[in-house]
Structures are given as structure tokens and as C-alpha cells.
Amino acid sequence: MATKVKVLGFWCSPFVFRVVWALKLKGVEFEYIEEDIFNKSTRLLELNPVHKKVPVLVHDDKVIVESLVILEYIDETWPQDPLLPQDPYERATARFWAKFADEKLMQTAWKSTWTKGEEKEDALKATMEVLEKIEGELKGKSYFGGENKYAYLEIAIGWINYLIPIWEEIASIQFLDPKRFPAITAWKSKFLDNTLIKETLPPREKLLIYLHERVKHREIDGTIRELAETKLEN
């Protein structure tokens, strides 16, 4: 029996990227519905009344929310081309690093981009410490999943490769120094060169203009809340 799959998302949300990448990898056809996260629709509020966030996955009459939860649902519902490893320890490790990147890197890198003075310096130092830990996990590997370029962690933290360089440009700072983070740098190049990834990312200039506009209109606090998983969108 054919099933219907819908994704409610926002065009530049890294958490929506995850869901779209996973569905495309699995070859699952879906309808994408763009949401205005600053003027949330009745549909979104009804489907996700608890968090009122995107992404939302609708599979027939089932509604699944929170991006990492959605990834696991997709992996279990469509088992072809598995994302998570079969070994329980390796699965637990992958989940740990995905959560670590969301809770630590997302917040500190974003704060480094938009704050000033001592707060910026502290956030930048914390960002470097987080990146060093991720670098250590990736060292000696082509991908986090070994040779699996579509592993769970690739999908879960792939936003690093696209969004952090944009934040670097906006703030005129450098997070991903190739000499300091050679493993992440090599992974970044392979990740962004992947056709499946490239065809789903928003235009770089469009995103730069959008973020600059949010700042100009003094709506950056709202943008942070909308894009940071630990606060709103996940």
C-alpha cells in the first residue's frame, strides 16, 4: 500500500536539512511544505502543538517531531541504506556525538558570530574546544560512519559544512582552520561535493542576505531561537 509522506520545514533550517537528506537517501517520495516560522500556520500549530517547531514529518496519519527523532523513525521505517550502525555501542556513540554537536557547537558557534567583546571571546574559545573534540572523533576516518558517506552522523551534523562557513563570512572570523582541523576540512570537502547534498542546500547568497536582513531589523534574537535546536526549531 502506498504511503503519503509530508515534511513541514523552513528553507534554511539545518534541522530540516537532516530530514530532507535522509528521505532522499532512502528514496522516499515526499511533499515538502514551506512554513513561515515567524508567522506559524494553523497547520503547524495543530501538528506540533507541544513545541510548535519545524521540522515535522507526517507519515500517513502519524506525526513525528524533533529532527533526530525523525531520523531514527525514517531509518527504522525504511530500512534500505541504513543510517545508524547495527552494533549497539556504535549506535549509542553516534547518538552521543549528534546530541553533543547540537547542544554544544550550535550554540557556541552562533554566539561567536553575533555577540561582541568578552562574550564573543568566551564563545569562540568554547567553539574551538568543541571542534577539537569533533576533530578527534573524525581523525583517521573518511567519514564519521567509516566508509559510509550517508551514515547517521553525516546527516545529523552535516550542517557544520554549510552553515559555519557562512557564519564565518558574516562575522569575519575563522572557525574551521584547515591546519587545526584537517580531518573536518577534508570531510567538509567530500560532503559538499555530494550531489544529493548540493541539490538540497539553499543558495549561499540568498542565505547571506537573509541573515544580514534579520540583523538589520534587529530580529536576531528571534532568528537564534528559530534556528537553534535547543531553543526552538529541531
Side-chain angles (χ1 to χ4, degrees):
M1 180 183 296
T3 62
K4 293 183 179 180
V5 180
K6 298 180 181 180
V7 175
L8 277 65
F10 181 60
W11 67 276
C12 64
S13 166
F15 312 112
V16 175
F17 293 167
R18 293 171 172 166
V19 176
V20 171
W21 291 338
L23 289 171
K24 284 182 172 291
L25 165 65
K26 299 279 189 176
V28 178
E29 294 186 3
F30 64 95
E31 176 186 357
Y32 177 79
I33 302 171
E34 178 71 10
E35 285 287 336
D36 180 354
I37 60 175
F38 300 102
N39 184 25
K40 297 180 180 181
S41 68
T42 301
R43 171 182 53 215
L44 175 59
L45 299 178
E46 289 177 349
L47 290 172
N48 191 1
V50 176
H51 299 302
K52 304 177 177 65
K53 312 170 187 177
V54 296
V56 175
L57 178 74
V58 183
H59 181 204
D60 292 332
D61 59 347
K62 298 180 285 290
V63 178
I64 305 93
V65 300
E66 298 191 11
S67 61
L68 294 179
V69 175
I70 294 173
L71 284 189
E72 295 209 30
Y73 177 86
I74 290 172
D75 206 26
E76 293 173 4
T77 303
W78 295 279
Q80 67 271 23
D81 299 311
L83 302 177
L84 279 162
Q86 295 301 308
D87 180 77
Y89 173 74
E90 292 179 0
R91 291 168 73 92
T93 300
R95 291 177 178 127
F96 167 81
W97 284 108
K99 190 170 184 289
F100 177 80
D102 277 2
E103 293 182 352
K104 302 296 184 181
L105 184 59
M106 177 70 73
Q107 293 294 307
T108 58
W110 187 255
K111 186 178 288 187
S112 299
T113 304
W114 300 112
T115 56
K116 297 180 180 180
E118 185 176 347
E119 186 178 8
K120 185 184 189 75
E121 292 177 6
D122 291 344
L124 184 56
K125 180 181 178 181
T127 300
M128 295 299 104
E129 291 174 352
V130 173
L131 285 171
E132 285 174 352
K133 291 180 172 60
I134 293 174
E135 174 76 12
E137 175 63 17
L138 185 56
K139 187 176 180 179
K141 306 175 185 175
S142 297
Y143 302 95
F144 286 100
E147 294 304 316
N148 182 4
K149 63 182 179 180
Y150 290 127
Y152 173 81
L153 266 183
E154 265 59 51
I155 300 297
I157 67 175
W159 60 268
I160 293 174
N161 299 311
Y162 182 73
L163 288 181
I164 283 189
I166 289 178
W167 297 349
E168 288 178 322
E169 182 172 338
I170 290 172
S172 299
I173 57 178
Q174 186 178 41
F175 296 117
L176 298 176
D177 181 348
K179 293 183 179 179
R180 187 171 182 177
F181 304 115
I184 295 176
T185 300
W187 170 63
K188 171 176 168 286
S189 297
K190 292 192 289 283
F191 184 88
L192 293 178
D193 195 46
N194 188 298
T195 301
L196 183 148
I197 302 300
K198 288 193 291 188
E199 69 184 8
T200 56
L201 290 173
R204 180 183 178 86
E205 288 303 314
K206 179 182 178 181
L207 182 52
L208 283 168
I209 292 170
Y210 168 77
L211 291 174
H212 279 301
E213 284 298 311
R214 304 308 297 185
V215 177
K216 185 165 59 177
H217 291 94
R218 297 184 179 182
E219 296 175 356
I220 192 60
D221 288 341
T223 304
I224 291 173
R225 289 195 299 271
E226 295 298 341
L227 292 181
E229 177 161 21
T230 54
K231 289 188 178 182
L232 279 183
E233 306 308 321
N234 57 33

